[in-house]
Structure formats: C-alpha cells, structure tokens
Amino acid sequence: DIKCTCTEDGYKLYECACGRTEKRYYTDALGHVYGDAWYITKEPTENENGTAKKICARCDAAVGEVKDIAFTDLYKYIFRDGGAVITNFARNYYADEIHIPSMIEGKGVLVIGDEAFRGCSNLSSVTIPSSVKTIGDKAFGLCSNLSSVTIPSSVTAIGYKAFEVCSNLGSVTIPNSVKVMGDGVFCDCSGLRNVMVPDSVASIGQSAFSNCSSLSSITIPEGVTSIERSAFSDCSSLSSITMPRSVTGIGESAFSGCSSLGSIIIPDRV
C-alpha cells in the first residue's frame, strides 16, 4: 500500500499474473496542517525585518504563508553590566543557520544566557559574535542537529552543560581565551570526534566529555592540573590520550567505560 501524504494521493498497487500493475482504491492527499511553527528564510536585524514561512505540522515542509518577522520576534534580552544578555530564542521559529547579533540597542552582546537556545532541535549551525564573553549554563543543550558552532576568542567561560546532547556536533575548537569550562560541558555529544582543549584551562570538569562515544583521541594540554570525576566516562571509542606532567589530580571514574583505551600513562605527581 502507498500511503497518502500532504500532497500526494495514496493507493493500493495490484499486480496481474501477466506482470501488469494497476493502482486502485485511491485515498485523497491529506493537505497541509499549519500550527505555530515558522521557518526563517531571512534573518532579521535590529534595523531590517526578516521573513519566515509557515511550517506544516504534519510533514515539516516550509510551504505556508510568508510573513515579515522583527528582531524582537526571535530574541529576548536584558541589559546588565554595560552589555546585552540574550535570554531566549523563540522556539517556534526554526532555521538551519543563525548568526547571533553582536550589538543590541547600541550595546555589545556579552552573554548568551542560560538555556537561551536550549532545545532548538532544528538549528544546524550557529555563529557566536566576537563580543560574547560568556556562554551560559545549558545555552545550547539539546540542540540535537547542531553540527557547526564557531566560538570566538573573546569567550572566557563556557557554562554547565552548555552543549549537552548536541549529538550531531562532530568537532569543536575551544579558543585559548577560555579559562573555565563547566561540568558536563559536552556530555552526551555522541557524534563528537575531535576536540581541542586549550592550555588556558586549568581543570577538565566533572562529566565534561562523558558519553562522547565517537571521541577517539584527546590531547590534554600542559597547564591542566586536574581531571574531575567522570570527565571522560563511557567514551567507548577513546583509544589514545596524552596527559601532561602538569596533571596532579584525577577524579573517580574519570575514564570508566573507555573500553577501547588500552593503556594510559599517569604523571608522577598524581
């Protein structure tokens, strides 16, 4: 049986003993059903509206009416410490790629707030502007289709579980400006294969890379002094790790479940 879709009829396909096929018992196409979801076709700025199309709730196609969207339709923000903090991105708007603004009302965007983009599951690429200093707790958590993120060298802190369960994220470069990475920062990123940890970081936090099942190797830079509890637990593909002499402490279960790891050299000072 061929089931009907939003745009195509369904039918039963019969085959004769002679090899001829025939379509019977047609079912009319269902037609699109529109909810409150919109696909961004042009990103708005503070000074210029963008556009968006309605998304069918049944087939996810962006085929409905087109409307103008304002900057404030997408972003909620506050001002603090002389700069702007993005607190929320509207969840009923979808986009393959988002360029986070660097300025809002003449003030630099300094912080991507806690959970600001959490659960934006259709977002595949995000560019963070060079004005940003802090990426908040769970800021991009559960962005399951996020495959590309650009973290600028202005960022000094990445919060707790900031990129948790970004399962499509294959690689990430953390700039040398980052001094603090929160616990669980990349936990459950099952597609993460490559990551560069900067030598500006003193500690790899609890469960920072836990359950990154595709991560095959990691180089911990000189300057890191501690690897916290469960930092690399259940990284089942991890087969190679380089640990510097600067490491003086390794937490409980830091490498538990790393079934591909044949050996590891622990520095004398641990």
Side-chain angles (χ1 to χ4, degrees):
D1 293 357
I2 305 300
K3 293 183 178 180
C4 57
T5 66
C6 289
T7 58
E8 296 183 357
D9 294 339
Y11 53 85
K12 288 182 179 292
L13 189 64
Y14 287 87
E15 184 174 356
C16 178
C18 69
R20 179 184 174 186
T21 58
E22 181 179 332
K23 298 176 183 178
R24 296 181 184 176
Y25 303 112
Y26 281 84
T27 305
D28 291 341
L30 298 171
H32 294 297
V33 176
Y34 299 106
D36 193 35
W38 296 84
Y39 179 79
I40 301 168
T41 52
K42 178 185 175 184
E43 285 186 79
T45 67
E46 273 196 284
N47 302 316
E48 184 180 2
N49 283 352
T51 54
K53 280 186 176 183
K54 270 284 191 183
I55 296 176
C56 175
R58 180 179 287 125
C59 70
D60 291 331
V63 292
E65 65 176 289
V66 178
K67 74 169 182 177
D68 287 346
I69 54 172
F71 179 81
T72 50
D73 289 330
L74 298 186
Y75 294 100
K76 302 300 180 189
Y77 52 89
I78 61 174
F79 295 107
R80 186 174 66 206
D81 299 330
V85 178
I86 292 178
T87 58
N88 187 68
F89 183 85
R91 300 303 192 272
N92 63 318
Y93 285 91
Y94 297 88
D96 296 324
E97 184 176 9
I98 284 292
H99 297 83
I100 297 173
S102 59
M103 301 283 289
I104 297 178
E105 295 184 27
K107 297 183 183 296
V109 174
L110 304 181
V111 178
I112 308 299
D114 295 350
E115 302 190 19
F117 290 83
R118 181 175 170 83
C120 291
S121 57
N122 282 0
L123 184 62
S124 62
S125 175
V126 62
T127 299
I128 300 170
S130 58
S131 59
V132 171
K133 298 177 186 282
T134 302
I135 299 173
D137 296 348
K138 301 182 180 181
F140 296 96
L142 305 180
C143 291
S144 55
N145 280 316
L146 186 64
S147 60
S148 173
V149 61
T150 301
I151 302 175
S153 57
S154 58
V155 173
T156 59
I158 304 176
Y160 169 73
K161 291 190 174 182
F163 294 94
E164 64 166 336
V165 202
C166 291
S167 52
N168 208 34
L169 190 62
S171 64
V172 64
T173 299
I174 304 166
N176 282 325
S177 57
V178 174
K179 301 185 185 306
V180 177
M181 293 197 309
D183 292 344
V185 62
F186 291 102
C187 67
D188 297 302
C189 290
S190 58
L192 188 64
R193 300 180 302 277
N194 302 298
V195 63
M196 295 290 293
V197 178
D199 56 15
S200 54
V201 173
S203 175
I204 296 178
Q206 181 175 320
S207 301
F209 297 95
S210 66
N211 205 31
C212 290
S213 54
S214 297
L215 188 65
S216 60
S217 66
I218 185 79
T219 298
I220 299 173
E222 193 72 40
V224 171
T225 59
S226 65
I227 299 171
E228 302 298 331
R229 177 180 178 183
S230 301
F232 295 95
S233 63
D234 297 312
C235 291
S236 55
S237 296
L238 187 63
S239 60
S240 172
I241 183 164
T242 301
M243 193 177 302
R245 295 179 61 189
S246 59
V247 173
T248 58
I250 299 176
E252 180 182 351
S253 301
F255 299 97
S256 69
C258 294
S259 54
S260 298
L261 191 62
S263 63
I264 185 171
I265 299 174
I266 306 296
D268 295 338
R269 298 171 63 190
V270 175

